[in-house]
Structure formats: structure tokens, C-alpha cells
């Protein structure tokens, strides 16, 4: 892994060469939308946070339109613990009772969103925080979740939302105006009730309705791993089905891979699950010429 000391020791001539190599990618992606799911360690480590913010600003300045969708599992967990509540998950989804929903709204729509907005602004961008309520963006209903092994059984995960529709109008308006939208995964229902939606699912659906060029999911692992813990660099729908069926893909990777596959099938050109622990993971994927992480094929 490169450290800042390595970078300062690169000769100016080599630096120029590196920048020049990014030109074909900048040209290819100019004016295109990229949806970035920001989660995992990349979101909790201060040095990585700053790298991420810089990458987002750089992409915007070279004419690409980044849209950030953030998660916040660890931050929700911390506040729940302080309140003496324990988080519970079923098939990768957080069981969300009314009190947990309040916490989710405070943490995601407040603290986490505004932290990211602040970091991007500090790096020289103009970020605007939104929840799915803003601009009537994310309409949702209660998720009815079938058991993975026995589809006739259903799990009640409380106020977890299933996306009914996304109106990307507000995101588009901001993009056109040089702003960088930062979206918290909270939806609203028919009776104005709130829903906690898995951020991967929101990112995937938003990428689809925006017909994004890329969907990049930053996570806390190298990508999708096989049974032996080796990285799978490419995955087809059939391979994904098999990995979910035999339990190789579990927990938080389930909604992630499902969202990724949906997006790939719905016209998003490139869908990648990448390691957010790598400094400047975003730039590396978009402007670098070495593939990393797992690419989802349709
Ligand atoms: P994020 O914040 O990125 O959404 P999650 O914890 O929700 O993180 O999902 C990523 C986690 O999924 C990994 O840290 C890992 O523990 C788990 N996981 C389950 N199956 C796999 C797999 N086959 N390959 C990689 N990660 C997996
Ligand atoms: Mg997750």
C-alpha cells in the first residue's frame, strides 16, 4: 500500500506521467454520473475519510458527477449501545423498531450525513445533504422479507423499507448546479412514516434511475470472497445465485450483491464492489488502469 512518504518521493516527471495516463478515463467519463456507496471502514478512519472526500471533489472537478449514498452501521450501533439497546440483524437487514428508527434518523440524516458534507466541503467541493424525504425522492413501504431457505416463511424486520420509487429530480437539479449530492438512506411512506433502507439498495436503485455510468460500492473487505477467502474478480448472475445458496455470501454482503446485480441488469454500465480500506480507492478504480475488487456482470 502506498503511504504519503512514497508519494512525495515520486519524481515530478513520473507524477506528470501518472496524471497523463488518467486522461483517457477523464475523457471517457466526462459528464457521466457515478453513484458511490460510502460505507465500511472508509467511513470511520479519519485518514481514509479525507482521501475519500478529496477523490469525490477531484472527480467533480474533472467533469464527472459523483452522487454519494452513505451507510452508517457502526455509528448507529454506537448510539444504540449508549441507549442500552442491542442491534439485531436478519439476513443482513437491521431489525428496526420505532425507537431504533428514531436513532437511525438522528444518526444517518444528522451526524453521519453532515460529517460527510463537511469533509467534502473542506476538500473544496460543494456538498448538499439529503435524505429520501427531500424532494420527495425515496418512496417506500414496509419490507416483506421472505426467509432465504424457506420462502414460505416471512421475517418481520420492523420499519425497514422496500423502495417503491425514486424520483431523482432533486439529485439532478443539484448536479447540474455544481453541487455534490450526499444521500442518507431514509425513505418515507404513504402516511409520512419513515423507513430505514439498506444503503446498498438505495445506491443501486438510484444508479438505475439516474442511468449512471458506474456504481461503486466501497466496503470493508477486498470484494466478494469465495469459500477459501480468495477474491472473486468477476461474478455472473448464476455464480452469485450459487454463492448465496451455499452460504458463501452472507450478512451485509447479501443486500450488497443483490443491489449490485439489479443495477447491472438495469443498464448501469459498470458495477464494482471495492475495498474502501485502500487509500484513494475511488480514484484508483475510476482513473487507474488496474481493475480491483469484484466486478458484477449482467
Ligand atoms: P458495508 O458497510 O460495506 O455495507 P457490511 O458489513 O454490510 O459492510 O457488508 C460487508 C461484509 O459482508 C463483510 O465485511 C463480510 O463480513 C460480509 N460477507 C459475507 N459474505 C461475504 C463474502 N462472500 N465475501 C465478502 N464479504 C462477505
Ligand atoms: Mg451494509
Amino acid at each position: 500500500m502506498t503511504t504519503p512518504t512514497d508519494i512525495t518521493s515520486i519524481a515530478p516527471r513520473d507524477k506528470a506521467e501518472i496524471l497523463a495516463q488518467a486522461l483517457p478515463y477523464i475523457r471517457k467519463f466526462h459528464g457521466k454520473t457515478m453513484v458511490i456507496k460510502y460505507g465500511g471502514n472508509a467511513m470511520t478512519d479519519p485518514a481514509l475519510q479525507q482521501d475519500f472526500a478529496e477523490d469525490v471533489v477531484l472527480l467533480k472537478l474533472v467533469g464527472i458527477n459523483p452522487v454519494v449514498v452513505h451507510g452508517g452501521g457502526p455509528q448507529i450501533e454506537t448510539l444504540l449501545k449508549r441507549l442500552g439497546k442491542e442491534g439485531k440483524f436478519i439476513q443482513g437487514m437491521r431489525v428496526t423498531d420505532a425507537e431504533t428508527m428514531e436513532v437511525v434518523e438522528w444518526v444517518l440524516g444528522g451526524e453521519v450525513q453532515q460529517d460527510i458534507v463537511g469533509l467534502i466541503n473542506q476538500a473544496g467541493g460543494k456538498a448538499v445533504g439529503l435524505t429520501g424525504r427531500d424532494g420527495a425522492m425515496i418512496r417506500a413501504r414496509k419490507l416483506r422479507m421472505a426467509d432465504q431457505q424457506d420462502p414460505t416463511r416471512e421475517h418481520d424486520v420492523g420499519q425497514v423499507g422496500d423502495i417503491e420509487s425514486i424520483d431523482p429530480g432533486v439529485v439532478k437539479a443539484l448536479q447540474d448546479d455544481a453541487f455534490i449530492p450526499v444521500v442518507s438512506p431514509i425513505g418515507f411512506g404513504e402516511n409520512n412514516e419513515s423507513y430505514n433502507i439498506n444503503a446498498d439498495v438505495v445506491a443501486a436503485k438510484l444508479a438505475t434511475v439516474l442511468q449512471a455510468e458506474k456504481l461503486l460500492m466501497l466496503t470493508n473487505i477486498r470484494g466478494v470472497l469465495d469459500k477459501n477467502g480468495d477474491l472473486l474478480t468477476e461474478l455472473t448472475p448464476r455464480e452469485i445465485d450459487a454463492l448465496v445458496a451455499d452460504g458463501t455470501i452472507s450478512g451485509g454482503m447479501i443486500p450488497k450483491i443483490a443491489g449490485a446485480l439489479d443495477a447491472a441488469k438495469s443498464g448501469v454500465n459498470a458495477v464494482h464492489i471495492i475495498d474502501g480500506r485502500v487509500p484513494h480507492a475511488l480514484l484508483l478504480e475510476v482513473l487507474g488502469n488496474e481493475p480491483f475488487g469484484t466486478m458484477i456482470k449482467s
Side-chain angles (χ1 to χ4, degrees):
M1 235 173 251
T2 4
T3 63
T5 20
D6 296 329
I7 293 162
T8 48
S9 63
I10 297 174
R13 186 197 297 233
D14 295 334
K15 278 187 192 158
E17 185 55 37
I18 292 166
L19 281 174
Q21 279 175 11
L23 181 62
Y25 299 100
I26 294 174
R27 234 177 19 218
K28 180 172 172 198
F29 297 134
H30 190 93
K32 301 275 166 67
T33 296
M34 293 189 185
V35 174
I36 301 149
K37 155 69 193 309
Y38 184 40
N41 300 56
M43 224 171 82
T44 46
D45 178 284
L48 292 172
Q49 283 175 347
Q50 199 177 336
D51 287 351
F52 173 81
E54 287 171 1
D55 290 3
V56 168
V57 172
L58 198 143
L59 293 180
K60 186 75 182 179
L61 290 176
V62 299
I64 297 167
N65 290 316
V67 177
V68 177
V69 177
H70 69 84
Q75 292 87 340
I76 293 169
E77 212 53 40
T78 304
L79 188 51
L80 283 177
K81 237 185 224 127
R82 252 166 48 199
L83 298 172
K85 276 182 85 80
E86 208 181 320
K88 210 180 127 203
F89 287 84
I90 300 177
Q91 293 175 186
M93 295 295 185
R94 179 183 295 281
V95 179
T96 309
D97 60 15
E99 201 182 7
T100 302
M101 187 66 228
E102 266 187 81
V103 172
V104 167
E105 290 207 82
W106 294 337
V107 174
L108 295 186
E111 183 193 345
V112 175
Q113 180 202 81
Q114 286 304 308
D115 277 353
I116 299 168
V117 166
L119 281 164
I120 294 175
N121 293 350
Q122 215 175 7
K126 293 197 283 179
V128 177
L130 305 163
T131 76
R133 287 186 175 284
D134 291 287
M137 181 172 29
I138 307 175
R139 284 176 199 276
R141 58 172 107 75
K142 187 177 158 70
L143 175 74
R144 307 182 66 114
M145 192 169 74
D147 186 83
Q148 225 135 49
Q149 258 65 49
D150 174 7
T152 60
R153 260 184 64 212
E154 207 174 88
H155 295 285
D156 188 351
V157 281
Q159 271 170 270
V160 172
D162 196 4
I163 299 175
E164 213 163 66
S165 61
I166 293 191
D167 177 346
V170 63
V171 167
K172 284 185 176 162
L174 289 170
Q175 272 188 344
D176 293 345
D177 230 340
F179 295 106
I180 299 166
V182 176
V183 179
S184 312
I186 295 165
F188 66 98
E190 233 177 9
N191 301 309
N192 199 27
E193 74 277 24
S194 294
Y195 286 106
N196 171 25
I197 310 174
N198 181 280
D200 298 317
V201 175
V202 170
K205 183 82 182 180
L206 192 56
T208 301
V209 298
L210 287 168
Q211 281 297 291
E213 172 70 24
K214 269 185 198 263
L215 167 63
L216 298 174
M217 293 171 148
L218 272 67
T219 186
N220 59 357
I221 198 159
R222 279 179 296 149
V224 183
L225 308 182
D226 67 13
K227 254 202 186 63
N228 305 318
D230 292 323
L231 177 69
L232 296 158
T233 53
E234 280 186 5
L235 279 177
T236 62
R238 277 184 59 177
E239 290 166 333
I240 290 169
D241 284 347
L243 290 167
V244 171
D246 75 3
T248 305
I249 290 178
S250 62
M253 196 50 80
I254 295 175
K256 202 182 300 297
I257 201 82
L261 186 57
D262 272 351
K265 282 181 174 168
S266 316
V268 177
N269 259 338
V271 180
H272 300 264
I273 296 172
I274 62 174
D275 194 344
R277 299 169 305 176
V278 174
H280 296 291
L282 208 51
L283 278 197
L284 218 54
E285 205 297 318
V286 179
L287 302 181
N289 44 16
E290 257 169 77
F292 83 115
T294 303
M295 178 172 181
I296 314 301
K297 302 175 87 173
S298 59

